[in-house]
Amino acid sequence: MVHFHALGDRAVREALDAVEAARTANGWRDTRHHLAHLQVVHPHDVPRFRALGASTKRIAIMGDSSGGWTTAMAAVTGNIPYLEGDVGVRGPSSAVQAAVPFYPPTDFLQMDAHMLNDCKPFNGVFGLTDCHSDARSPESLLLGCPIKDCPDEVAVANPLSHIRDRRTPPSTRPP
């Protein structure tokens, strides 16, 4: 058995790659490799823990702002086939067991209304002229279209649109 300390997503992926290489080289034994201190795990690596027989004290995701959006999306979109993609481990569940999204954006089309000072600081940082609606905004680049021109894509990118009757993991948000 090997015990790994892996904080970031790259360290976790490399540790899981090492476990996979050991399982391939040595076969399966009555051992359970362990990863500890996980802080960031890429959602596509979550199912690898079970598939490789690796244990951890938790498989959760946490992030703030855009990382909060990623966290919220990972929490509510596990096992939605058209969102699974074709990279990473396929087959086992991609669902996470817990999520801590700190102030995630949900509806990209409503973000400009909540910006301070007519969005001037935000525009200055990103070199934009039209706040989040600008074709070069992070949200527009994420979706591949100016957000005002693609409301269907904006709806798919809204974590709240995926909750409905789905079972979601425990999530929390700061007070």
Side-chain angles (χ1 to χ4, degrees):
M1 180 190 90
V2 179
H3 180 86
F4 297 90
H5 291 250
L7 294 175
D9 57 345
R10 180 176 173 189
V12 171
R13 179 159 294 155
E14 289 181 1
L16 290 170
D17 289 347
V19 170
E20 185 173 21
R23 296 279 192 218
T24 300
N26 303 317
W28 283 76
R29 298 182 180 173
D30 191 18
T31 58
R32 194 157 173 91
H33 301 295
H34 182 81
L35 283 75
H37 309 297
L38 308 180
Q39 292 182 2
V40 180
V41 179
H42 190 283
H44 286 155
D45 285 327
V46 170
R48 296 182 70 197
F49 285 88
R50 181 176 291 147
L52 294 169
S55 69
T56 182
K57 294 193 187 314
R58 67 183 186 275
I59 298 180
I61 187 168
M62 178 178 79
D64 60 60
S65 192
S66 61
W69 175 84
T70 303
T71 298
M73 288 296 285
V76 299
T77 61
N79 299 323
I80 295 178
Y82 76 95
L83 295 175
E84 286 292 315
D86 58 5
V87 297
V89 174
R90 298 180 61 168
S93 171
S94 65
V96 296
Q97 285 84 38
V100 185
F102 290 95
Y103 51 94
T106 51
D107 186 345
F108 294 163
L109 294 174
Q110 300 301 315
M111 292 171 61
D112 289 354
H114 303 282
M115 296 301 288
L116 300 174
N117 301 322
D118 266 348
C119 211
K120 288 177 186 162
F122 181 82
N123 283 340
V125 167
F126 288 99
L128 307 175
T129 57
D130 197 18
C131 208
H132 297 284
S133 298
D134 193 294
R136 297 165 295 144
S137 74
E139 299 76 21
S140 294
L141 293 174
L142 173 71
L143 299 181
C145 55
I147 61 173
K148 286 185 176 178
D149 296 345
C150 54
D152 292 340
E153 286 84 351
V154 170
V156 171
N158 184 339
L160 301 178
S161 68
H162 299 284
I163 294 175
R164 294 187 182 94
D165 295 326
R166 296 179 46 77
R167 181 177 174 175
T168 59
S171 297
T172 185
R173 63 180 178 82

